[in-house]
Amino acid sequence: MTMPADPFANDPLDAGMGGSTATIEREEVRQEVEPGDAERFAHYVRKEKIMESAFTGEPVIALCGKVWTPGRDPEKFPVCPECKEIYNGLRPGNDKPEG
């Protein structure tokens, strides 16, 4: 049975001083779940979903369908026109008693 070749056997930085140390560098690339308008607008999402995302790091889904992980101040951006249109078309909830 033959052993696999040592990947560091021909290390040009090894001056024959015994052992060698190698550093493998990798570039971390972060990509949005769905790139696009999520960077330009503040979207409507249920408050409890925003809080859950803050704890879990999981992305949320806005009314307009955009998927992203919240992490910026929504007050600094205009409201997404699609979210606003959908929100305005929703029926009022039963939060307030009639009378």
Side-chain angles (χ1 to χ4, degrees):
M1 183 153 90
T2 307
M3 296 293 291
D6 182 1
F8 299 110
N10 297 321
D11 186 356
L13 299 177
D14 185 8
M17 303 298 275
S20 66
T21 303
T23 302
I24 299 173
E25 293 185 31
R26 68 179 179 140
E27 184 177 323
E28 184 176 331
V29 178
R30 297 190 81 186
Q31 183 176 356
E32 287 182 54
V33 176
E34 185 178 313
D37 289 343
E39 293 300 315
R40 295 186 288 168
F41 295 114
H43 294 275
Y44 287 170
V45 178
R46 289 185 175 271
K47 287 181 184 180
E48 59 269 12
K49 293 295 183 182
I50 297 284
M51 294 301 293
E52 183 179 318
S53 176
F55 288 116
T56 65
E58 294 292 318
V60 295
I61 303 172
L63 287 177
C64 68
K66 296 293 178 191
V67 179
W68 87 106
T69 303
R72 62 195 179 115
D73 182 4
E75 298 292 323
K76 295 181 179 179
F77 298 89
V79 173
C80 167
E82 288 181 61
C83 282
K84 189 173 186 176
E85 183 178 336
I86 293 168
Y87 181 79
N88 289 336
L90 295 175
R91 288 187 283 169
N94 294 329
D95 294 341
K96 297 179 184 177
E98 293 182 26

